Amino acid sequence: MAGKVFFSVSMSLDGFIAPESLEGFISPERQDDPQLQRWAAQWMELQQWIFPQRFFRENLKLGEGGEEGRDNDIARETFERTGASVMGKRMFDGGEQAWPEEAPFHTPVFVVTHEKRDPWERPGGTTFHFVNDGIETALDQAREAADDRDVRIAGGGATILEYVNAGLIDEFSIALSPVLFGSGIRLFEGVDAGRVALEPVRAEPTQRVTHLTYAVRER
């Protein structure tokens, strides 16, 4: 049986999943740029719930120890359910600079792009495949690779929105973080609200964030 297609993101209380676009700033020679540093500080604040978790630390080989509890369980469950991921080219470009040599996915990743490029294999089981035929082809390939596990639409925001508006998302989870951005990349900016209906699945508050899960239905 085919798994679900889902996304899982952290979001600020005012609806943003990332600071303003960093296009043009992701390059090794600009690592000390003040704008890039402000972006990184905001992003770290948004994601603060995940960094102390034992599973996250182990997965990125950041050392032993870390918190255990529901936040840690959710991080692990999200990883374990994912048999393949899909992402946009902009997210890949940023990650190519930022991810460690052993990228944190440990599954096939399908990058939606116009760039023609051979698969890029990393240590630890992550192989990036570059798909030039649009989001549905990328999803078809990810489903096949995932077997009976789920496919995660990893991001960024524009790619997630494309899948939502195409009616291709079954479920999503938001870690609602107690921060305010004021501006940035909104999760649902441009959503086809006349097509998408949501069904609450669960809400799980922790000391750090509130985890919200919704099933997606066609209106």
Side-chain angles (χ1 to χ4, degrees):
M1 181 181 297
K4 294 180 179 178
V5 180
F6 79 104
F7 66 85
S8 179
V9 296
S10 298
M11 187 174 76
S12 69
L13 284 175
D14 50 348
F16 299 98
I17 60 170
E20 298 287 355
S21 174
L22 263 183
E23 191 167 7
F25 281 85
I26 300 293
S27 59
E29 63 271 15
R30 304 195 72 166
Q31 294 303 302
D32 295 328
D33 190 288
Q35 183 174 339
L36 178 59
Q37 292 178 346
R38 285 194 299 272
W39 189 99
Q42 274 193 297
W43 188 85
M44 292 282 285
E45 187 178 18
L46 178 68
Q47 304 289 348
Q48 53 78 28
W49 72 274
I50 189 71
F51 294 118
Q53 305 310 318
R54 176 184 287 272
F55 176 79
F56 180 84
R57 292 180 56 78
E58 290 176 350
N59 191 34
L60 269 75
K61 302 189 184 308
L62 299 177
E64 297 181 357
E67 295 180 6
E68 297 188 39
R70 190 60 189 135
D71 286 328
N72 187 64
D73 291 345
I74 287 172
R76 186 183 65 253
E77 289 163 6
T78 301
F79 176 85
E80 290 177 347
R81 70 183 285 192
T82 302
S85 295
V86 176
M87 69 178 59
K89 178 64 160 53
R90 189 173 297 176
M91 180 178 179
F92 173 79
D93 286 345
E96 189 175 15
Q97 298 290 338
W99 292 318
E101 183 181 10
E102 186 172 313
F105 302 96
H106 307 289
T107 64
V109 178
F110 297 86
V111 182
V112 181
T113 178
H114 296 296
E115 177 186 9
K116 295 189 182 299
R117 178 171 169 177
D118 291 334
W120 186 43
E121 186 174 350
R122 311 303 295 145
T126 302
T127 300
F128 294 93
H129 303 269
F130 301 89
V131 183
N132 307 129
D133 301 324
I135 63 170
E136 294 193 20
T137 299
L139 180 56
D140 288 343
Q141 293 183 20
R143 283 187 192 275
E144 184 174 356
D147 197 14
D148 60 347
R149 288 199 288 168
D150 297 337
V151 173
R152 181 178 184 177
I153 309 304
T159 300
I160 288 172
L161 187 66
E162 280 191 82
Y163 278 97
V164 171
N165 284 343
L168 297 172
I169 298 292
D170 299 310
E171 183 180 284
F172 66 86
S173 296
I174 293 171
L176 193 60
S177 189
V179 298
L180 298 171
F181 273 13
S183 63
I185 298 174
R186 286 192 182 275
L187 176 57
F188 293 115
E189 187 74 41
V191 70
D192 185 355
R195 175 173 184 172
V196 178
L198 304 180
E199 176 184 320
V201 175
R202 60 184 170 271
E204 299 181 83
T206 70
Q207 288 295 103
R208 294 187 177 275
V209 291
T210 299
H211 298 277
L212 304 172
T213 302
Y214 298 90
V216 182
R217 305 281 184 261
E218 189 166 354
R219 189 181 295 277

